[in-house]
Amino acid sequence: MVGKKGIVYAVDIHPLALKKVEKMGKRKGINNVKTLFAKNIEKIKENSIDTVILFDVLHDINNKENTLKNIEKLLKPKGKLTFKDHELKKGEIKSLISENTSLNLHKNKNHNKIMEFIKND
């Protein structure tokens, strides 16, 4: 998806999860995946990310509002947040995102509950 020149940031709070991603990348010869502890997210330059994929994790995050604000800062203009969470209802997701960001709902793929939000210019 990102090609050989793009970078994928794998962000997690669990060191073992990050180690697993690192090992898998080495085993498969993938050199453009950078692992990062969630508390170090500020190391990623603002307005530098094309797409954030957030699947089935927001319900486990204590400060959802701050997390969404940080994601918005990282996204480039017209950047996308692709979102799915089996624990949160569609209305809860829309409210959380609209109340804490300027991201706009772009697509709602009902068949698998994936929602896509776009950052304004």
Side-chain angles (χ1 to χ4, degrees):
M1 188 173 166
V2 302
K4 292 185 180 197
K5 293 183 180 180
I7 297 172
V8 174
Y9 292 98
V11 180
D12 206 298
I13 61 168
H14 300 292
L16 293 176
L18 296 173
K19 290 286 185 197
K20 186 174 181 179
V21 169
E22 289 170 1
K23 285 181 184 178
M24 188 185 319
K26 285 180 185 175
R27 188 174 70 243
K28 293 187 176 202
I30 300 170
N31 300 315
N32 59 345
V33 176
K34 296 185 178 189
T35 57
L36 189 64
F37 287 106
K39 67 180 179 180
N40 295 328
I41 199 80
E42 71 278 352
K43 291 184 179 184
I44 300 174
K45 184 179 172 189
E46 288 187 12
N47 297 307
S48 68
I49 303 292
D50 294 304
T51 302
V52 171
I53 300 172
L54 196 63
F55 279 19
D56 291 327
V57 296
L58 193 62
H59 67 271
D60 279 333
I61 296 173
N62 290 331
N63 192 338
K64 295 169 183 51
E65 298 81 6
N66 193 46
T67 298
L68 291 168
K69 288 174 185 176
N70 285 331
I71 287 171
E72 182 178 24
K73 288 179 190 176
L74 296 176
L75 287 170
K76 292 178 181 177
K78 302 211 182 228
K80 298 177 188 174
L81 167 60
T82 302
F83 189 92
K84 177 182 174 188
D85 199 304
H86 70 280
E87 296 281 327
L88 300 173
K89 294 180 180 167
K90 181 179 168 183
E92 290 176 283
I93 295 166
K94 283 180 158 182
S95 292
L96 271 169
I97 292 174
S98 67
E99 291 170 11
N100 295 288
T101 73
S102 64
L103 302 177
N104 295 310
L105 181 63
H106 177 66
K107 292 181 185 174
N108 184 15
K109 301 174 183 179
N110 286 326
H111 62 281
N112 50 13
K113 299 182 182 177
I114 296 174
M115 301 170 84
E116 186 176 273
F117 296 86
I118 304 290
K119 183 175 180 179
N120 294 327
D121 292 335

